[in-house]
Amino acid sequence: MKKNLFYLFIALFAVTFMTACGDDDDDKDKDTGINVAGSYTGTIIINITDEESENPIKLENQEFTVTQNGQESINLSISGLILQEGLDPMNINVPNVPFSVDGEKVILNSTNLNIPLKVLGDLDAYINSMVGDFQGSEVSLKIVAEQELVEKVYITVTGTKK
């Protein structure tokens, strides 16, 4: 009889204390409800060789598009930037930039992207990084591209969602 009580106690102990809870790490796959996709209008400032040059190329009232790949990454597309008369328009396409969410803010902080870009006509450059954030309907981004002849191209994008 004592043996049966002992085994019953062990069985109750095992059932009571050895149950596992579900995985609590499901938050990372949760929809944050934040959607930055859409059309934006804003200012694009391009500095060649120096982040704060005296004579930047400043393009106002420029339209650009952001698409969102679920809750993982965004794509930025800016088309038809005319930097100088007589040169082909510049297009900036930055795909699959991962983001994180901090409250109501979407934060981008990507480096080593190595995305091809044509600047000043036919010069080959590579987008190295894109950092910035989306908050509410506002966006502020900094893109750094590297090019052999001019070293770096700094592109600042600010805008408001339409």
Side-chain angles (χ1 to χ4, degrees), residues 1-12:
M1 179 74 173
K2 285 185 182 181
K3 256 188 195 178
N4 290 340
L5 275 174
F6 177 74
Y7 288 129
L8 178 64
F9 178 76
I10 294 294
L12 285 174

Side-chain angles (χ1 to χ4, degrees), residues 15 23 46 51 58 73 75 77-78 88 93 98 112 130 132 140:
V15 169
D23 187 6
I46 301 171
E51 193 168 2
K58 188 173 185 179
S73 64
N75 307 315
S77 179
I78 307 171
D88 289 338
N93 293 302
N112 300 321
M130 186 162 103
S140 176

Side-chain angles (χ1 to χ4, degrees), residues 47-71:
N47 288 296
I48 309 291
T49 69
D50 186 9
E51 193 168 2
E52 300 294 327
S53 68
E54 292 178 19
N55 298 313
I57 299 168
K58 188 173 185 179
L59 306 167
E60 298 196 35
N61 297 318
Q62 295 293 312
E63 294 188 5
F64 54 97
T65 305
V66 174
T67 55
Q68 190 169 329
N69 307 315
Q71 296 297 306

Side-chain angles (χ1 to χ4, degrees), residues 57-114:
I57 299 168
K58 188 173 185 179
L59 306 167
E60 298 196 35
N61 297 318
Q62 295 293 312
E63 294 188 5
F64 54 97
T65 305
V66 174
T67 55
Q68 190 169 329
N69 307 315
Q71 296 297 306
E72 298 169 9
S73 64
I74 65 148
N75 307 315
L76 172 67
S77 179
I78 307 171
S79 299
L81 296 176
I82 299 177
L83 305 182
Q84 185 178 347
E85 203 170 305
L87 293 178
D88 289 338
M90 182 171 138
N91 298 316
I92 301 172
N93 293 302
V94 189
N96 299 317
V97 178
F99 66 83
S100 60
V101 176
D102 182 12
E104 296 293 315
K105 188 186 265 190
V106 171
I107 300 169
L108 304 173
N109 189 10
S110 292
T111 58
N112 300 321
L113 295 173
N114 204 29

